[in-house]
Amino acid sequence: MNHSSRFEFSVTICSQDHPLKEWLPNIDRWLTELLRLEGRGEYNEDLCPRCSERLAEFRCEDCTDLQLHCKFCTVDLHAQLPLHRVSQWVLRHFVKVSLKDLGLRIQLGHPPGQPCISPTRAFNDDFTVVDSSGIHPVALDFCGCGKGHSHPIQLLRFRWFPATPTNPRSAATFQVLEMFQLLSLQSKISGWEFYQCLERITDNTGAPEVKDRYTVFMRIMREWRHLRMLKRAGRGHDSGGVANTAPGSCAVLCPACPYPGKNLPDGWENSPSDKRWLYQLFIAMDANFRLRRKAVSSDEKDPGLNHGYAYFVEEHAYKRHLAMYSDLVAEDKSSCSDHDAVKLAQRKGAHDIAATGVGTVECARHDMKRPCSVGDLQKGERRYVNMDYLFNSSLKHHAMPTIVSSYDIVCQWTRNLFTRFAKYGWTLMSGGNPIAFRFLIPKFHLPAHQESCHTQYSFNLTPSVGRTDAEAPERGWAFLDPLASSTREMGPGSRRDTLDDAYGDYNWQKICRLSQAMLRKVREAVRQRDIQSSDFEALSAALSPELVSKWTTDIEAWEKDPSKPNPFVATQKKLSIAAVRLQLAEEEKAASAGQTLSLDPKISPSRLISIGFELEGIIQNALQRRLDAWAQFQETLMPSAVTLREREKSRPTSPEHACLYMPSEIPTDVECSTDLLEFEWRLRYAQASETLDDLRQHLRLRSSLCKLKDRFSRGVRTVTRALAIVANVEQRIKSDGQRYRAARTALMALAARLPDKEGWDAHLKALLDQDVREMHVDLDGVSEGRRTLSWIWCMPGLSNADDSAGTQEALRIEWCKSRARSHRWSEECDLLQEEMRRILAFHTWQAEWWLQRADVCVKLDKQREDEQASYTEGAEAYARRQSRIRCLLKERCSQAWEGVLEWVKLSPCSVE
């Protein structure tokens, strides 16, 4: 392929408007420019352009000036740039050299260019600095005169972080520490990978001359993270010092949550009853089994630095609690669907695992981590003693009189919750009064629960919760899960400190994006509020005022007292084939005293139809002799079937495909007993209703299995086994659909011959493929508040004895759900307005809080009192900068939400 054909081929890989199309013709020219930079270019003079005396042979690879200088001028120019990389022109190519080899010495403790009268060299004149440009050996001189500080302080003032507080031989620049901290949080790069990258930047040939400072760098990084956390929490502005740090005081708080004294109005405790719900706290609990830690190191060898200052609970108190109540490992057998996370967590190599994951209590509405609310799990999520401790620890740090708490297994966790708390000796209080709890299940997890949980623990049906979905922990795990590969090999202290740093960064990013996030939410809330309210009003207008009034009274009574009858629950008795068979048998027994329905006293129509149902169920495995016996049995009550069967003898079929000639399968022009048609009708109707129950149950089972598979199955063997189980359930769902369609087809045939069955298909509708979906799944993938249910989930229990009652119940349930959607979106609008007000108030409070710390007097040693002014100025400057950041955040929110209170009162089109 020649040059022109290669070029034409390269152009064809780009679309007409792709930017690469414009760049491709310049490949050769740009490539030669890169090669040109490997030489001296236009700077090929022999003498140094600065001194014009010595040979120019050294070039800086990090400066924009590509001129070559002599050795002495290179050292002089880099006196303030000691970590730049330098190359020497040797034998017509550049070779890397260090500034230390060129004679550059770095003097600490004095202004640039001012020598020390008594310099002290680093230990053995061997000092290594880790920087973003590589790993550099440097010639370092400490100040040894009377004005000099300790060696670590001199390094810190040079913005180099020392490896040890005594005779340091290594340091890392502030720049590389900031870079790695952000990279580890944003891209989840491990410390080992980052350090390997630095080594390759230094020398990409694997040269052994590069000093190994990986262990030192990771120790520095832990100290750096800890100090930055303390600094950002204002601990340097406390006269009591770091030792006076309270648990959780270094956590980044959620500005939208209610905090008395920070962002709540005066007198909020005495607000009207219809507004008091706006000040309740929403929290969500969950566990993550991906954030494991292997059984390496120990707390004695690797202690944590944070001591419960941020998100993780204080480890020693946590372990004492677990040891004291270790007998509370297991709970009673689950009374709901099997959410047994313990088995899955312990099944996958738990013998070498020190922590099977982490449990957490988080802000349910704003997806932020709460202080003192995270801890390691040892035996899975169902070891309630762990989650109990985290729940209590979180509320001890911050609680409100009313709390909405969610947990994906809340129906099991709360069964003996307060009994366990009594054993612990805990009392959950807020402001001296017991906390009022409402326990619910997150929206995504709810469909996997049994039917009774769908109304008792539903966010969609519970009043005064807005459109909270409580799935905040699941969103947070997506951010934290990539850290699992690096944290699982860490010691316990390193891992807790690293995750604490990640939680803090996660919260801060959320705060920075609050202005746009809340704006999107309020726009959507206004739009959906108007849509759902309009739909609810239209539905109410179509019903009789008496019904609407009665249903309103019933649902308001249930909302005030959940022990009252639940209007969302169907009360009509469900049909079953067994029940209809029993009813038919009793009717025949009663009729036998008068006129016998059968020609043979030993044969009844109901028995004939029942046996036919059994044959349908086993037709694939039935033997021909069973079919022959059925034909003889059928001959007595259905002589017409004999004639039809004789016609088909000319076309022999296998037993699996043989026609039973049930009444519904007999052509309309062939005579059939009305009693048989009626008996099959009733059994078919029960079969269709029962099959729909099976279909709904299997759909719930599939939802639960898929969730467990995605969350806990790892490895080819486990995933393959899980997929086989899901495929089994899929086959059952398919079978349910086929059985229902067959029953409905039979009902259609029977209804054509029974004139009193008009309107039977109002409830037993045609089952399309799009109708076979879980309760929480919509055709367009929308959520509960916007979705339309498949009709299979809207069908109440029916009774052919009182069809009008079943119809009325179906209308009542749909009306209640429409009302719930309308109310939840209206509540969401009110709640979002309150949260926006709280965010602005919180930023104002925090800005003032920092200004108060601007006047702090930093505590110093007596020998350094002469530097009091510089320390005080630095502390004041940092406090004022933090205050300004909060003011800017408030201003950003205010500008984004300008006029938002008016938007809520307008139509959706006004907020586009």
Side-chain angles (χ1 to χ4, degrees), residues 83 128-134 136 155 158-162 170-180 217 220-221 224:
L83 301 182
T128 304
V129 179
V130 181
D131 183 53
S132 56
S133 60
H136 304 269
L155 287 169
F158 202 64
R159 297 190 179 183
W160 289 0
F161 201 102
S170 303
T173 63
F174 285 13
Q175 181 185 20
V176 73
L177 295 176
E178 290 177 356
M179 177 182 291
F180 174 64
F217 176 73
I220 291 175
M221 196 63 224
W224 171 262

Side-chain angles (χ1 to χ4, degrees), residues 96 131-132 142 192 197 211 222 236 238 249 322 325 343 367 410 441 488 529 555 586 590 638 652 717 749 910:
K96 293 181 180 180
D131 183 53
S132 56
F142 292 103
W192 173 256
C197 183
K211 296 289 184 66
R222 283 191 65 188
D238 192 321
S249 60
L322 298 181
Y325 299 101
K343 295 178 182 178
D367 190 15
V410 78
I441 297 174
R488 68 186 175 196
R529 179 199 63 183
I555 195 170
E586 291 175 350
M638 297 179 62
R717 181 178 179 182
S910 63

Side-chain angles (χ1 to χ4, degrees), residues 771-801:
D771 297 324
V772 183
R773 63 180 190 268
E774 285 82 349
M775 184 180 294
H776 62 284
V777 175
D778 189 86
L779 292 175
D780 299 323
V782 297
S783 63
E784 165 65 25
R786 307 173 180 86
R787 69 181 178 82
T788 56
L789 283 175
S790 171
W791 67 265
I792 66 174
W793 300 102
C794 301
M795 180 183 173
L798 298 174
S799 170
N800 69 319

Side-chain angles (χ1 to χ4, degrees), residues 29-47:
R29 179 59 187 272
W30 288 32
L31 179 60
T32 56
E33 287 297 322
L34 293 181
L35 290 172
R36 182 178 182 275
L37 291 173
E38 293 293 323
R40 294 177 295 173
E42 66 270 26
Y43 305 111
N44 52 11
E45 299 293 333
D46 292 335
L47 293 180

Side-chain angles (χ1 to χ4, degrees), residues 866-881:
D866 58 324
E867 297 183 343
Q868 177 69 54
S870 63
Y871 281 102
T872 301
E873 183 182 64
E876 178 185 357
Y878 183 75
R880 292 187 178 278
R881 181 160 68 90

